[in-house]
Amino acid sequence: MAAPCSIVILTGAGISAESGIDTFRSAGGLWEQHRIEDVATPEGFARDPDLVLGFYDMRRAALANVAPNPAHAALARLEREFAGELLLVTQNVDDLHERGGSARVLHMHGELKSALCASCEMRSPWEMAMIDRPPCPVCRAPTLRPDVVWFGEMPYEMGRIYQALEACDLFVSIGTSGAVYPAAGFVQEARASGARTLELNLEPSEGSRLFHESRRGPASLLVPQWVEEVLSPAGA
Ligand code: OAD
């Protein structure tokens, strides 16, 4: 196959699993421990804000105990060394891509280390707990919520993502179950524009058959291997 000129990468919880962050839908995953409608919807937040703020405070604090793995590092290497266009889109709200060395990451589902003010709608970098209703750094109102996209809300930067999917010649999906739209539909968008599509995942995902090629295994092995292929003189 010809070397790609423009790549869009989508990552999901599977890329952070080997760093020790629970995925959502595996046995014992986050959605077995918590009900989506309680902790990941605007209605759940309106019903019980303490439960929701506590859930995201716990996940934010847990980031201090994990570290990026070789898959994050490999994507950072790709960003540094790939001569073409690259867009790294993640559904993850952790900061492991950044800590692994990626400088340009599009967090379509928001970030744990960001706060969104329900009053002034500004987004601010955020490290602390929110349970005690700290004031918004911009307008001082005690109305901060996690800057995480909940079910029923619009993910960030969809226009930019669709533009990149239309223009790319390779789309790669890493560690995501393909259970949540719109991200689950990116493979079809990319294919419709003529891109080659590759999945790197531990097990077959819901959308595996939509990809030209699917590779099975842990991200910490598959991603560095694939990055090496792309950066080798013959391309991927
Ligand atoms: P899921 O938990 O749905 O899927 C994780 C995928 O990663 C599964 O297909 C696993 O097989 C795979 N996986 C697990 N360990 C892996 C490893 N070491 N290497 C490679 N793959 C591995 O997580 P997401 O697909 O990211 O949204 O979930 C998508 C969205 O659903 C999340 O962003 C979140 C959730 O509800 C919101 O909260 C809005």
Side-chain angles (χ1 to χ4, degrees), residues 120-192:
C120 70
E121 296 183 0
M122 294 301 286
R123 306 172 73 188
S124 306
W126 196 261
E127 300 272 347
M128 296 170 293
M130 288 184 190
I131 192 89
D132 293 330
R133 311 299 195 278
C136 166
V138 181
C139 73
R140 314 306 300 167
T143 50
L144 293 178
R145 57 162 270 187
D147 187 10
V148 164
V149 175
W150 288 326
F151 287 88
E153 296 180 327
M154 180 60 84
Y156 287 115
E157 304 223 46
M158 291 309 296
R160 201 174 135 209
I161 297 171
Y162 282 125
Q163 244 174 20
L165 287 169
E166 222 170 89
C168 74
D169 48 22
L170 178 62
F171 171 72
V172 186
S173 171
I174 303 171
T176 175
S177 62
V180 175
Y181 282 82
F186 290 175
V187 57
Q188 282 148 310
E189 292 288 333
R191 273 191 90 132

Side-chain angles (χ1 to χ4, degrees), residues 79-98:
E79 181 186 276
R80 284 192 306 273
E81 298 182 21
F82 180 59
E85 291 288 317
L86 178 70
L87 180 66
L88 173 56
V89 180
T90 187
Q91 298 168 90
N92 298 344
V93 293
D94 65 53
D95 59 351
L96 293 183
H97 280 304
E98 286 84 353

Side-chain angles (χ1 to χ4, degrees), residues 1-219:
M1 180 204 156
C5 298
S6 174
I7 306 176
V8 175
I9 298 172
L10 171 70
T11 65
I15 198 168
S16 296
E18 290 163 86
S19 293
I21 298 183
D22 283 343
T23 63
F24 294 95
R25 295 177 179 78
S26 52
L30 273 182
W31 293 157
E32 262 186 18
Q33 304 167 41
H34 307 269
R35 282 161 31 112
I36 289 182
E37 48 279 38
D38 288 343
V39 297
T41 62
E43 296 77 18
F45 185 51
R47 237 181 356 255
D48 192 346
D50 277 2
L51 176 80
V52 176
L53 293 174
F55 174 69
Y56 291 95
D57 282 352
M58 176 193 75
R59 292 178 63 197
R60 190 182 309 104
L63 294 180
N65 306 319
V66 298
N69 67 58
H72 298 103
L75 294 185
R77 177 186 171 210
L78 187 67
E79 181 186 276
R80 284 192 306 273
E81 298 182 21
F82 180 59
E85 291 288 317
L86 178 70
L87 180 66
L88 173 56
V89 180
T90 187
Q91 298 168 90
N92 298 344
V93 293
D94 65 53
D95 59 351
L96 293 183
H97 280 304
E98 286 84 353
R99 283 161 58 195
S102 289
R104 297 188 310 272
V105 186
L106 195 163
H107 284 269
M108 65 178 288
H109 289 167
E111 294 176 71
L112 286 169
K113 290 196 174 172
S114 177
L116 173 65
C117 178
S119 303
C120 70
E121 296 183 0
M122 294 301 286
R123 306 172 73 188
S124 306
W126 196 261
E127 300 272 347
M128 296 170 293
M130 288 184 190
I131 192 89
D132 293 330
R133 311 299 195 278
C136 166
V138 181
C139 73
R140 314 306 300 167
T143 50
L144 293 178
R145 57 162 270 187
D147 187 10
V148 164
V149 175
W150 288 326
F151 287 88
E153 296 180 327
M154 180 60 84
Y156 287 115
E157 304 223 46
M158 291 309 296
R160 201 174 135 209
I161 297 171
Y162 282 125
Q163 244 174 20
L165 287 169
E166 222 170 89
C168 74
D169 48 22
L170 178 62
F171 171 72
V172 186
S173 171
I174 303 171
T176 175
S177 62
V180 175
Y181 282 82
F186 290 175
V187 57
Q188 282 148 310
E189 292 288 333
R191 273 191 90 132
S193 310
R196 185 168 171 76
T197 55
L198 168 67
E199 178 182 64
L200 308 176
N201 212 55
L202 193 59
E203 60 201 5
S205 71
E206 291 188 23
S208 282
R209 69 192 155 71
L210 300 170
F211 290 82
H212 291 105
E213 184 186 349
S214 263
R215 299 183 190 175
R216 303 273 152 261

